[in-house]
Amino acid sequence: EWTGGSITGALGDGATVSAGTGDFDGLVIASPGGAGYSVSGGGLLIAGGSVTGAGTDGVLAEGGVLTAFGLTVESSTGDGVLLQGVAVASVLDATLSDNGGFGLTCDGGLADPLVSTVALSACEAEVDGNVEGEFDLVNGCELSAACVALLP
């Protein structure tokens, strides 16, 4: 478990989980060369904190389980949150603003939603100023509930 602190200017991703569990509470990640957070296996729990100026996406989930609550992602080159590959995710009470792509993209990877590889069980975020728009739910992204844009 990581509580507080900051990571600035990482050459690659700010924090990565590929197996096991990574718990981050209040971590501030600024200007990583890659994603702020990335998960390709295991579990990633993010409580609060922020990602600013990521070189790619603020949060990238390509596998495993992502749970994010109260996270702020702003000014990333790509999406605020990108879900793809084989992942299960919940994003709650997030602020996703001024990113180069969408606030949140959920790409199920397939045109047939019956065989989706990405499940989004919760999606609530304040979204503002993202170049491509608020939410992009494509290619069979499996939703348990609709994404909700929270008021600022």
Side-chain angles (χ1 to χ4, degrees):
E1 183 173 321
W2 184 304
T3 302
S6 64
I7 297 172
T8 302
L11 295 179
D13 297 338
T16 301
V17 175
S18 57
T21 303
D23 293 345
F24 297 90
D25 186 355
L27 177 62
V28 174
I29 300 175
S31 303
Y37 288 98
S38 67
V39 58
S40 58
L44 173 60
L45 172 63
I46 305 168
S50 64
V51 176
T52 305
T56 58
D57 304 297
V59 178
L60 171 62
E62 296 182 297
V65 177
L66 167 68
T67 304
F69 179 80
L71 176 67
T72 297
V73 180
E74 57 189 7
S75 303
S76 295
T77 301
D79 295 320
V81 175
L82 173 59
L83 311 172
Q84 63 185 19
V86 180
V88 176
S90 296
V91 178
L92 294 167
D93 195 27
T95 300
L96 309 172
S97 61
D98 301 319
N99 296 293
F102 285 91
L104 181 143
T105 295
C106 178
D107 186 345
L110 301 169
D112 183 353
L114 297 177
V115 290
S116 175
T117 59
V118 177
L120 182 58
S121 60
C123 175
E124 296 177 356
E126 181 182 317
V127 287
D128 182 51
N130 297 294
V131 172
E132 298 293 326
E134 295 176 350
F135 304 111
D136 187 25
L137 312 173
V138 296
N139 296 328
C141 172
E142 185 179 314
L143 293 175
S144 295
C147 285
V148 176
L150 302 174
L151 298 174

